[in-house]
Amino acid sequence: MSPSYRSTPIGASQARRATVFALVAVFLDVVGFGLIIPVLPRLIEEVGHTGLDDAARIGGWLFAVFSLAQFVFAPLAGALSDRLGRRPLLLLAISGLAVDYVVQALAPTILWLFVGRLIAGVCGSSHVIAGACLADVSSPENRARSFGRMTAAFGLGFVLGPAIGGLLGEFGTRVPFWCAAVLAGVNFLFGVFALPETLPRENRRAFHWREANPLGVLAVFGRYAGVLPYAWVLTIFFFGTSIYAAIWPFWGMAKFGWPGTTVGLTLAASGLTVALLQGFGTGPAVARWGEQRMAAVGLAGAAATCIGFALSPTTGIVVVMLVLNAVEGFAHPMLSALMSKAVPEDTQGALQGGISALMNLAMLAGAIFYTQAFGYFLSEASPIRSPDVSFFIAAVLMLTALGLFLRHSKRTIG
């Protein structure tokens, strides 16, 4: 049975306000996250009194704690938002991020950095609920465009966040954390006054623990025809792309000797290209070529640019590859839109929670894998001492995801 769809249940003005806030919330959350990336390696070295190879390993475990907490709690937030509405859960998540940044700004030891990352993971489900808000106020045929705009908001966040974080880091490793806390607080206040509820009571459904636990939520992928193969593709894609969050600052420092400002500017360049392509290219691309073709383009581009980063001899070539890497941003929103079309309206929150669970589980595994591999291939124990090996591994994974996607698409079209 194909799912039934309802038109937008709230007024056009409220729908616009909800769309704006969802995108702004994602944008400000990513800005806050981006602020701390350039200074995190230095902070780990400073607090933990360690070198870059060990700092990379510690950074991987910090990211793993964050992803594990998101994996456990994001499905709960998605399922609760289907029952209680989007607004209260989204505001709670945003306020928790402000607390996290304060904890990390004051952290005297590595242990307190782990506490901060745990809080961030528990409260870091804002993008899940923001995605459900966009699904609530978008028609099925416009969801690819809406999810593309959310990807563009991520990209814009990474334009400003890392660039500003790299500059602020020159005044001290703690300064970007205080700025991130202020941004999260402003985001919360904006939501209190601007965010309407997008899920009317008549469209809400009963809360089910099987959809709220981190493994039970994955059942949503097997409940509707055609969704599970896309879920496998997304899992491999998320695992592959976790290399950037896991080792990018460490890789740039080890290969090119980048300072924090260069780390921030390269991430800003990446965010700018993603934002421009997603903000202005998603709608026309989907209209002309469709979600399936653009998802394939995104996966192929992800594989090609991983190889390009590994082979880059200079920072200038890295910047060129960052521009080309923008096409990778098509993969996630296109696959999300294809999955969203296949489930009913009252399951959009559970679907977004499930996608988030996949992302966090894959990035949890990826953070541990890539940082440990990176540290090993920099150490004297490695037979091949190179910071680039992890990017070659990521390229193989991206090609695997592309092959699975093309195989399923061929069967679907057939």
Side-chain angles (χ1 to χ4, degrees):
M1 180 182 297
S2 61
S4 60
Y5 297 101
R6 302 179 180 90
S7 59
T8 302
I10 63 176
S13 176
Q14 288 183 311
R16 284 193 295 272
R17 285 169 50 204
T19 298
V20 169
F21 179 78
L23 296 177
V24 170
V26 169
F27 168 71
L28 290 180
D29 283 354
V30 176
V31 168
F33 181 74
L35 280 171
I36 70 174
I37 293 177
V39 298
L40 190 58
R42 281 170 41 200
L43 182 61
I44 295 173
E45 288 180 306
E46 174 186 311
V47 174
H49 308 288
T50 185
L52 187 62
D53 54 343
D54 288 332
R57 293 188 177 101
I58 294 171
W61 287 111
L62 284 170
F63 193 84
V65 166
F66 171 81
S67 297
L68 179 61
Q70 281 216 327
F71 173 68
V72 172
F73 287 95
L76 176 63
L80 282 174
S81 76
D82 284 339
R83 178 68 183 91
L84 302 176
R86 317 299 187 200
R87 188 176 189 274
L89 274 298
L90 187 52
L91 293 177
L92 179 63
I94 292 171
S95 64
L97 288 176
V99 175
D100 156 60
Y101 293 129
V102 171
V103 169
Q104 291 188 91
L106 298 172
T109 64
I110 291 290
L111 176 61
W112 279 102
L113 291 180
F114 276 98
V115 171
R117 288 291 81 194
L118 179 63
I119 296 172
V122 171
C123 299
S125 56
S126 57
H127 66 281
V128 175
I129 309 169
C133 285
L134 292 176
D136 290 339
V137 299
S138 303
S139 61
E141 60 271 16
N142 288 328
R143 282 182 186 151
R145 179 176 296 183
S146 294
F147 291 140
R149 287 173 177 169
M150 189 165 76
T151 303
F154 270 89
L156 280 173
F158 269 106
V159 171
L160 292 179
I164 297 174
L167 295 173
L168 290 175
E170 298 300 316
F171 298 96
T173 53
R174 313 289 180 135
V175 174
F177 290 90
W178 287 113
C179 292
V182 172
L183 276 179
V186 170
N187 196 3
F188 172 77
L189 293 176
F190 178 45
V192 169
F193 295 103
L195 178 64
E197 179 56 63
T198 61
L199 186 67
R201 293 186 180 277
E202 61 270 20
N203 289 353
R204 299 179 191 180
R205 63 196 184 101
F207 175 80
H208 301 289
W209 276 109
R210 66 177 180 274
E211 295 177 351
N213 75 73
L215 296 178
V217 71
L218 301 179
V220 70
F221 300 122
R223 197 174 301 143
Y224 305 98
V227 176
L228 186 59
Y230 291 133
W232 278 112
V233 173
L234 265 180
T235 301
I236 299 173
F237 173 74
F238 287 144
F239 186 91
T241 56
S242 67
I243 188 171
Y244 299 107
I247 70 168
W248 184 263
F250 302 97
W251 175 76
M253 292 176 180
K255 185 169 183 175
F256 301 108
W258 288 348
T261 50
T262 304
V263 171
L265 290 173
T266 56
L267 290 172
S270 175
L272 179 61
T273 55
V274 169
L276 291 174
L277 187 62
Q278 292 299 312
F280 297 100
T282 301
V286 170
R288 182 164 183 174
W289 293 294
E291 288 103 340
Q292 288 188 324
R293 287 189 179 90
M294 295 315 301
V297 168
L299 293 169
T305 50
C306 280
I307 296 173
F309 287 130
L311 298 177
S312 295
T314 65
T315 297
I317 300 299
V318 170
V319 173
V320 173
M321 297 310 303
L322 284 171
V323 175
L324 298 176
N325 190 51
V327 298
E328 174 189 293
F330 281 123
H332 183 187
M334 298 303 113
L335 290 166
S336 295
L338 289 168
M339 297 166 76
S340 179
K341 288 182 177 181
V343 304
E345 293 297 283
D346 62 1
T347 313
Q348 294 296 327
L351 175 64
Q352 295 300 318
I355 292 174
S356 177
L358 287 182
M359 179 174 67
N360 289 297
L361 184 60
M363 296 190 78
L364 163 65
I368 297 173
F369 173 78
Y370 286 120
T371 52
Q372 304 313 304
F374 179 81
Y376 172 75
F377 285 109
L378 280 187
S379 70
E380 296 181 356
S382 172
I384 304 174
R385 298 189 68 181
S386 170
D388 298 319
V389 175
S390 295
F391 274 106
F392 286 116
I393 297 172
V396 172
L397 289 169
M398 297 300 188
L399 290 172
T400 302
L402 176 62
L404 290 175
F405 175 77
L406 293 176
R407 182 180 179 184
H408 176 62
S409 297
K410 183 177 180 180
R411 289 179 176 178
T412 302
I413 294 171

